[in-house]
């Protein structure tokens, strides 16, 4: 009986340790600032997707949000799988270029405030 209790305690310790490892740490919880920042980034992403050409946006949304296979997207849109791949490649490139452009705009807007030094 003592051996069974020792084995059970050891298993319980391993189980509890594994559980604690997968629990989020306090730094991982969203605070109001992170929530607001995330909502702002999501709104920007939606705005960028809305600016895509229609067919590109359709292929991208079906693939990324509805998780449809490229073959199904091709059949629905009446194009080849290769054409779907090209649309998706262009969509990712579009998002990357626009994200980089918006990041540069934000940096330029912040530069006058944060870039001041004592030599002005």
């Amino acid at each position: 009986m003592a051996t069974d209790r020792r084995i059970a305690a050891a298993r319980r310790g391993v189980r509890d340790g594994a559980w604690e490892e997968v629990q989020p740490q306090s730094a991982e919880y969203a605070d109001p600032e992170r929530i607001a920042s995330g909502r702002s980034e999501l709104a920007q992403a939606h705005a960028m997707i809305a600016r895509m050409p229609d067919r590109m946006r359709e292929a991208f949304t079906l693939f990324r949000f509805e998780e449809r296979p490229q073959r199904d997207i091709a059949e629905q849109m009446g194009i080849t799988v290769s054409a779907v791949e090209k649309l998706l490649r262009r969509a990712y490139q579009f998002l990357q270029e626009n994200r980089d452009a918006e990041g540069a705009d934000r940096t330029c807007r912040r530069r006058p405030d944060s870039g001041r030094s004592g030599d002005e």
Side-chain angles (χ1 to χ4, degrees):
M1 211 185 316
T3 304
D4 289 344
R5 286 183 182 165
R6 185 176 43 83
I7 292 171
R11 287 183 182 160
R12 192 172 32 253
V14 169
R15 182 190 65 227
D16 292 347
W19 174 253
E20 288 177 12
E21 286 179 17
V22 296
Q23 296 305 306
Q25 302 299 316
S26 62
E28 295 173 347
Y29 287 109
D31 59 3
E33 183 179 343
R34 287 179 65 191
I35 292 171
S37 175
R39 287 182 180 156
S40 173
E41 289 176 15
L42 183 61
Q44 289 173 353
H46 281 295
M48 279 192 277
I49 292 168
R51 289 194 307 261
M52 284 181 181
D54 293 338
R55 291 174 63 79
M56 182 189 298
R57 182 177 56 247
E58 181 181 2
F60 181 77
T61 345
L62 289 171
F63 185 71
R64 293 300 294 183
F65 298 120
E66 296 183 21
E67 298 180 351
R68 302 267 307 277
Q70 292 181 9
R71 183 179 308 272
D72 291 352
I73 297 169
E75 289 175 12
Q76 180 177 336
M77 295 179 71
I79 58 178
T80 64
V81 174
S82 175
V84 171
E85 291 170 351
K86 289 176 185 174
L87 284 171
L88 292 173
R89 190 175 325 116
R90 288 184 196 141
Y92 293 125
Q93 183 177 5
F94 178 89
L95 291 172
Q96 183 68 39
E97 289 170 356
N98 283 289
R99 185 185 69 143
D100 291 345
E102 286 185 15
D105 289 344
R106 275 188 248 139
T107 303
C108 291
R109 278 185 255 150
R110 289 184 193 159
R111 190 172 288 159
D113 294 334
S114 62
R116 292 191 179 179
S117 62
D119 8 296
E120 289 180 22

